[in-house]
Amino acid sequence: MKNKLTDKILSNSNVFVIAGPCSAESSDQVAQISQEIVANSEVQMLRAGIWKPRTHPDSFEGLGVKALPWLVEAGKKNGLPTCTEVANKAHVDAALNAGVDALWIGARTTVNPFAVQEIADALKGTNTPILIKNPINPDLELWLGAFERFNKAGLDDLTAIHRGFSIYNHAKYRNVPSWEIPIAFKEHRPEVPMLCDPSHISGNRNLLLEVSQNAMDLNFDGLMIETHPNPDQAWSDAKQQINANGLRDLLQKLVLRQPDFSQDVASMIEEIREKVSVLDDQLFGLLSERMQLSEEVGVLKRENNITILQQEHWSKLITKRLSQSESYHLTPQFVRILMEAIHQESIRHQTRIMNPRTNKF
Ligand code: PEP
Ligand code: MN
C-alpha cells in the first residue's frame, strides 16, 4: 500500500471496517463474500484467515499457502486492500510474496515475544502495515511490548485491534472486553489507531451490535467483523459470523457520535466536570480519613496480637455493600472492585503499622 494504513484509518470520516471470513475455505467462498460486502461503503479492507491458530488439533487449521491467491484476487477484483494473520517468518514471506497488503498478529502470537520478534525481523525494511491484536491474557505491557518490537525493526504503520481477553467459562462473552485495557493502551500510544474485533469478543452473532456500539461510544477508530456467505456452515467460528446483509444491518444500526463541540456544549461539559472534580476531592478526603481509622484499628490489633485479616468482618462488609449496590445505582461489579481496592489498601496500612521496620509505603 502506498499510503500508510494508519493515516487512512484516522482520516476516515465514517467507521473504518475490515470484513471477510474467519477462514478462507474456497476460492468461490472468498470471491462471493468479497463481492457481497463491498456494497457497504464502510468496508475498506478484506480479511481472511489462511493459517488458523486453533485450540484443538482436529479443528480446521486453515488451507495455508494455496488460499493466498484467492484473497489477493478477491481484493483486486473488488478494489479492497487485503490482510491476513501471520504467526511466523514463513507466513510473512508467503503472504508478502502473494501480494497481501497488510498483516495482523493474532492474540495467541502477541503473547509470545519470540514469535513477535521473529515476525518483526522478517518484516525489517518493508513498510508493511501491521495490525496487532491484544494478547489473550489481560496484559497491557505485553501488547505495548509488541508495538515496541515492530517500532525497533523500523516499522511504524501499526494499528491495534482489541479482541477481548480469554477467561474460563464466562457467561456472556467468548473473550471479555475489559475496556479499561484498550483505554489504558490509548493513554500510552495515543497516535495508534484502535479497532475493535466484536466477533471474537462476542463469540456469538447476537452480541455483535452491542459490542460494536460500545466500541464506537469509546471512540474506537473502526471494526474488524467476520463475515461469511453462509455463516452457519463456516468451517471455523460459525456462531459469531454474519453474512453481508447482517453486516449491512449492523452498520446501519450503529450510532456514530459525531462530536458537536459548539461553544455551549463545551462550557456545559466543563461546568459538570468541575462539579465532578469537587466530588472527587471529597472522595479522596474521605478515603484518606478512612485509612487513618484503619491505622487506629491496626494499632489495637498489634497491641492485642490480633491478625490483620478478619475474614468474617470482611465478608460482612462486602455483603452489606453489595446488597446496597442497586439503591446506590451502582453495578455490583463496581461495588466489589471498589470494596476490594479499599480493603487491600487498608491491609497495606495495617501491615505497615504491624511491622513498622520491615514494611514501608
Ligand atoms: C481471527 O481473527 O480469526 C483470529 C484467530 O483472531 P484472534 O487472534 O483474535 O483469536
Ligand atoms: Mn475467527
Side-chain angles (χ1 to χ4, degrees):
M1 277 191 340
K2 262 194 244 113
N3 298 321
K4 280 175 76 175
L5 176 63
T6 49
D7 292 339
K8 203 170 154 189
I9 295 175
L10 292 174
S11 64
N12 195 57
S13 55
N14 214 335
V15 55
F16 183 97
V17 176
I18 302 176
C22 176
S23 312
E25 297 166 6
S26 70
S27 116
D28 285 351
Q29 173 242 17
V30 181
Q32 186 183 343
I33 193 66
S34 329
Q35 202 191 334
E36 289 171 352
I37 56 176
V38 83
N40 288 298
S41 58
E42 291 92 342
V43 175
Q44 303 277 338
M45 190 174 246
L46 179 64
R47 64 153 277 157
I50 303 291
W51 301 278
K52 302 300 301 175
R54 305 306 302 280
T55 305
H56 297 286
D58 47 359
S59 307
F60 171 59
E61 294 193 305
L63 292 175
V65 177
K66 77 167 182 195
L68 282 168
W70 307 338
L71 172 64
V72 174
E73 277 158 32
K76 282 206 182 110
K77 199 160 173 208
N78 295 288
L80 291 174
T82 53
C83 64
T84 197
E85 171 171 351
V86 291
N88 57 38
K89 177 172 162 36
H91 295 166
V92 170
D93 293 344
L96 293 188
N97 265 336
V100 175
D101 298 291
L103 306 175
W104 87 77
I105 312 300
R108 292 166 190 75
T109 304
T110 311
V111 286
N112 180 350
F114 287 135
V116 173
Q117 192 60 52
E118 177 181 323
I119 297 167
D121 289 341
L123 284 164
K124 247 183 211 157
T126 72
N127 56 359
T128 312
I130 322 288
L131 302 109
I132 307 175
K133 292 203 178 194
N134 63 257
I136 45 177
N137 53 327
D139 186 337
L140 174 63
E141 291 304 320
L142 208 44
W143 200 6
L144 291 166
F147 279 76
E148 288 160 23
R149 286 178 195 278
F150 284 101
N151 281 148
K152 284 192 166 206
L155 294 143
D156 64 354
D157 193 357
L158 308 180
T159 294
I161 303 181
H162 167 235
R163 51 77 79 194
F165 303 90
S166 184
I167 195 165
Y168 181 62
N169 255 354
H170 195 276
K172 181 168 178 182
Y173 299 105
R174 177 176 174 192
N175 291 292
V176 285
S178 302
W179 297 100
E180 67 280 12
I181 297 177
I183 292 171
F185 180 99
K186 270 284 194 193
E187 273 169 40
H188 285 83
R189 299 293 300 257
E191 78 290 358
V192 171
M194 174 70 70
L195 308 183
C196 177
D197 167 350
S199 306
H200 291 88
I201 291 177
S202 306
N204 153 4
R205 64 182 70 102
N206 300 328
L207 263 182
L208 288 177
L209 177 61
E210 176 185 319
V211 174
S212 304
Q213 187 63 56
N214 290 154
M216 292 300 102
D217 291 341
L218 292 172
N219 214 10
F220 275 54
D221 300 294
L223 300 167
M224 178 190 253
I225 301 185
E226 287 186 341
T227 37
H228 189 286
N230 300 299
D232 286 331
Q233 266 74 59
W235 297 0
S236 57
D237 289 352
K239 280 195 285 189
Q240 71 197 31
Q241 300 205 60
I242 49 176
N243 63 19
N245 284 338
L247 179 66
R248 195 198 51 223
D249 283 355
L250 184 150
L251 294 174
Q252 269 170 5
K253 287 188 184 137
L254 211 55
V255 182
L256 298 184
R257 323 264 173 208
Q258 300 292 1
D260 172 8
F261 281 119
S262 59
Q263 216 32 50
D264 268 7
V265 179
S267 63
M268 278 156 73
I269 291 180
E270 204 36 54
E271 213 174 290
I272 300 174
R273 281 183 177 155
E274 273 165 26
K275 287 187 196 159
V276 169
S277 171
V278 171
L279 288 183
D280 283 350
D281 284 344
Q282 291 174 4
L283 276 175
F284 275 85
L286 286 173
L287 284 171
S288 170
E289 262 181 58
R290 191 201 186 284
M291 292 309 154
Q292 279 166 31
L293 291 178
S294 294
E295 289 191 7
E296 280 178 34
V297 174
V299 172
L300 288 172
K301 283 180 179 168
R302 183 185 64 205
E303 285 169 2
N304 295 284
N305 277 325
I306 302 169
T307 57
I308 295 175
L309 182 63
Q310 295 293 314
Q311 190 59 50
E312 230 175 276
H313 175 63
W314 163 238
S315 299
K316 261 194 231 152
L317 282 190
I318 184 126
T319 310
K320 176 176 170 190
R321 296 300 160 190
L322 280 172
S323 72
Q324 292 172 326
S325 53
E326 210 173 313
S327 54
Y328 280 110
H329 206 57
L330 298 171
T331 61
Q333 294 93 314
F334 171 71
V335 171
R336 176 169 288 280
I337 288 172
L338 181 65
M339 285 304 292
E340 281 173 356
I342 291 175
H343 187 232
Q344 277 163 28
E345 180 67 2
S346 166
I347 288 177
R348 278 192 284 271
H349 281 258
Q350 295 194 359
T351 304
R352 196 183 50 137
I353 296 287
M354 289 268 193
N355 316 281
R357 264 175 301 168
T358 49
N359 283 276
K360 300 208 164 61
F361 271 118

